Amino acid sequence: MHLTSFLERTLQRRSFLRVAGATAASSALVLAGCGSDDNPKPTNTTASLTFSSNDNGLLNFAYLLEQIEATFYQKVVDAFPSDFTAEDKAAFIDLRDHEVIHREFLRFALGGNAYDLSLPGAIIFNFSSFTLTTRAGVYAAARTLEDIGVAAYNGAVKRISDAGYLALLSKLSSVEARHAAFVREQAQPGSFAGADVIGTTDGLDIVKTPMEVAALLAPIVPLTLVTDGLTNLS
Amino acid sequence: MNLFQIIREIEKVDPEIMDRLTHRRSALTALGDISKKMALAAAPIAIGSAFNKAMGQQTLSNVNDVLNYALLLEYLEEDFYAQALSATTLSANLSTGSAALGAIQTIKAHETAHVALLKSALGSAANPRPASFNFGTAFATYASFLTFAQAFEDTGVRAYKGQATKIKDAGNPNNVLTTALQIHSVEARHASHIRYMRRAAAAGSISQFGWITNAESNGAPAAVYGAGNPAATFPAEGNVVQGGLTLTSVGGNTYTAAEVSEAFDEGLDNTTVVAIARSAATF
């Protein structure tokens, strides 16, 4: 059982200046690590997370994505929909494990550059736009998140300058695509590589710039994601 | 022809032959699998591949070479599915209106699109399509067809991944890297779905999901999941060490090797990939 240590971890408040890969700025960030009776709703919509225009920024961006996915799957595993089959449960435990491992790996890779070291606690992601009490709702949510993941990695990898990190991110990206195909097929039979994600004339998968991905993540992340720097990387 | 008898004969004069062969990791295992499960006619080529592998690794010197290499794999995949769709032995399983037929038609259409895209990118530098691909007994049964399909798709994922840094090093002309990654993730979607299709009773009830657990081949040639050359750069799919970190224990938590290996796909060098392709098909 791999509970999201990220959520449970109580982080020390640290100087924002320590963070090279991303900076968070807000006087009222909505964060975990507080008591469970704290108000989880954003109280300051101007809170922002700025990703720096370099490999650390990209790795932090990937780290945020993996945090979202890991948190999502953990949430499902903690309370499976009543109509989940044994196969669904087994698959989601696998999916949760993979995303937690991705998250932990990226946290390790970032070391002192992880954006959340400067936060007093973990970001509380907002999954209220999804229905997590039914099998159909959960698979639809997973489809959305996995397709975002595939598009994000396809857009991010070329922007990485370090060859080692480039190779590592490509090792994660195909696993996200494997996930995407599975959850899409469960959400709607025959759609594992549907025309909404794969071009019918060029056979190419979706690709999105960090800025486009940030827009898609906006309903989930209670911070404004500033990704101009990442998007401008060539 | 008895492949293992030949190796035993060589062993008499060269006692270290087994060490040297198995040092190429799964090349020999692949031969074992192929000689039993795949077309025997392909075996002489496979032997050549096993020995060539000693000198193999990344041999593509420019982006056009990489694209032509990708084109060869796409020609192979396209032809493989085209033959499957017309194989009478598979018509009962790939029946009109079935989910299986729809899936294979979708995948075939993507491979055709990839061929067209790569040929267009290469222009006059595009290598011609090989005269024919002989997949031996691949289409004898639905289970065998999907086993081959899994091998080709998982190999395809590893092949594109193995060239990513090469394209970046070449300056990523015309944004080729992103295009290659967009094909890479399509191959991964295909691989995932083919693997899932093998769970069906008609396909052998293989207990697996769309991701690769350890280096389990489930009937495909072991080399598909083995290490490439050099193994430090292209480890086997069972690899649990990423960026110097052994991920079975990280952040105060422990994870099984199966979980960690599933979470990362590994690349392969072009020589190993082509050897795998030539072990499964004659072209």
Side-chain angles (χ1 to χ4, degrees):
Chain A
M1 173 74 88
H2 318 294
L3 288 170
T4 47
S5 58
F6 177 72
L7 285 172
E8 291 177 346
R9 194 169 57 139
T10 303
L11 289 161
Q12 302 282 320
R13 226 174 240 287
R14 302 187 195 199
S15 164
F16 288 179
L17 295 174
R18 284 196 49 183
V19 182
T23 51
S26 168
S27 57
L29 286 174
V30 181
L31 302 161
C34 318
S36 58
D37 55 352
D38 283 337
N39 181 354
K41 295 233 187 292
T43 54
N44 182 348
T45 54
T46 62
S48 65
L49 187 59
T50 302
F51 294 88
S52 58
S53 185
N54 54 33
D55 280 3
N56 276 331
L58 286 163
L59 291 176
N60 266 307
F61 191 61
Y63 177 45
L64 175 68
L65 272 169
E66 300 292 354
Q67 287 179 320
I68 293 170
E69 291 185 326
T71 305
F72 165 76
Y73 285 114
Q74 185 63 55
K75 208 171 161 64
V76 176
V77 169
D78 285 344
F80 285 124
S82 58
D83 54 348
F84 245 37
T85 65
E87 181 182 293
D88 294 328
K89 291 178 184 175
F92 268 67
I93 287 169
D94 276 7
L95 294 164
R96 186 271 317 267
D97 289 343
H98 302 165
E99 306 300 5
V100 167
I101 291 165
H102 289 173
R103 181 195 70 199
E104 293 301 315
F105 169 69
L106 286 166
R107 189 218 302 278
F108 167 83
L110 280 159
N113 293 323
Y115 79 89
D116 50 4
L117 289 176
S118 67
L119 305 181
I123 297 172
I124 293 181
F125 299 116
N126 179 358
F127 298 109
S128 64
S129 58
F130 301 124
T131 302
L132 301 187
T133 50
T134 65
R135 181 182 189 277
V138 163
Y139 272 109
R143 172 177 59 190
T144 298
L145 292 176
E146 295 291 356
D147 279 341
I148 290 174
V150 172
Y153 277 112
N154 279 348
V157 172
K158 74 156 183 177
R159 294 178 157 86
I160 285 271
S161 63
D162 180 84
Y165 287 138
L166 192 159
L168 283 163
L169 291 191
S170 74
K171 294 183 184 195
L172 302 181
S173 72
S174 55
V175 173
E176 302 297 341
R178 290 174 185 273
H179 292 172
F182 171 73
V183 299
R184 288 179 62 86
E185 187 70 14
Q186 302 304 312
Q188 187 182 343
S191 75
F192 67 97
D196 56 325
V197 283
I198 314 295
T200 49
T201 52
D202 58 15
L204 295 181
D205 214 325
I206 37 175
V207 55
K208 293 193 186 298
T209 65
M211 207 179 291
E212 290 169 331
V213 173
L216 294 172
L217 296 178
I220 298 168
V221 183
L223 298 170
T224 301
L225 302 177
V226 182
T227 54
D228 312 53
L230 300 184
T231 303
N232 290 337
L233 289 167
S234 58
Chain B
M1 187 192 78
N2 186 329
L3 180 56
F4 294 97
Q5 183 59 38
I6 292 170
I7 291 173
R8 273 193 292 277
E9 291 298 318
I10 298 173
E11 232 177 335
K12 288 177 188 166
V13 290
D14 182 355
E16 287 165 12
I17 182 69
M18 285 309 290
D19 286 339
R20 292 208 260 125
L21 280 173
T22 51
H23 186 62
R24 322 288 180 235
R25 289 299 280 260
S26 42
L28 195 65
T29 321
L31 290 179
D33 276 1
I34 293 151
S35 60
K36 282 180 221 143
K37 296 177 179 135
M38 297 193 170
L40 202 55
I45 295 163
I47 296 170
S49 302
F51 287 96
N52 284 341
K53 205 172 171 186
M55 292 167 280
Q57 52 186 311
Q58 298 279 56
T59 58
L60 306 173
S61 58
N62 58 50
V63 171
N64 270 8
D65 283 354
V66 172
L67 293 177
N68 264 315
Y69 159 67
L71 179 59
L72 174 65
L73 298 177
E74 300 291 350
Y75 280 142
L76 182 149
E77 289 186 322
E78 182 193 24
D79 207 68
F80 175 74
Y81 291 111
Q83 289 190 34
L85 288 167
S86 62
T88 53
T89 46
L90 301 178
S91 57
N93 295 98
L94 301 179
S95 59
T96 305
S98 66
L101 177 65
I104 299 306
Q105 285 173 331
T106 296
I107 293 173
K108 156 71 170 59
H110 293 159
E111 312 300 6
T112 299
H114 295 163
V115 166
L117 185 74
L118 291 165
K119 282 177 78 172
S120 159
L122 280 158
S124 60
N127 285 344
R129 185 185 295 267
S132 67
F133 289 95
N134 183 343
F135 297 100
T137 57
F139 308 115
T141 66
Y142 183 58
S144 162
F145 157 59
L146 288 182
T147 305
F148 270 75
Q150 175 181 313
F152 289 137
E153 297 293 352
D154 278 339
T155 300
V157 175
R158 299 193 72 179
Y160 278 97
K161 196 188 313 296
Q163 300 304 317
T165 51
K166 177 141 290 198
I167 299 170
K168 180 80 176 186
D169 289 348
N172 188 21
N174 302 315
N175 208 14
V176 164
L177 179 54
T178 297
T179 304
L181 290 166
Q182 288 174 273
I183 299 178
H184 169 248
S185 59
V186 170
E187 302 292 338
R189 287 180 194 259
H190 293 172
S192 174
H193 191 61
I194 293 284
R195 291 173 145 268
Y196 188 73
M197 289 172 76
R198 295 188 67 204
R199 292 173 70 92
S205 303
I206 304 298
S207 176
Q208 61 178 9
F209 281 116
W211 25 98
I212 303 167
T213 306
N214 299 317
E216 291 170 10
S217 64
N218 284 334
V224 171
Y225 304 98
N229 193 353
T233 309
F234 303 112
E237 287 286 1
N239 180 37
V240 296
V241 181
Q242 301 293 349
L245 177 67
T246 301
L247 287 162
T248 44
S249 177
V250 64
N253 288 320
T254 58
Y255 306 97
T256 65
E259 290 162 354
V260 173
S261 65
E262 288 168 359
F264 292 83
D265 283 343
E266 300 295 338
L268 268 186
D269 58 285
N270 64 289
T271 307
T272 301
V273 167
V274 172
I276 290 168
R278 288 197 180 279
S279 73
T282 308
F283 56 92

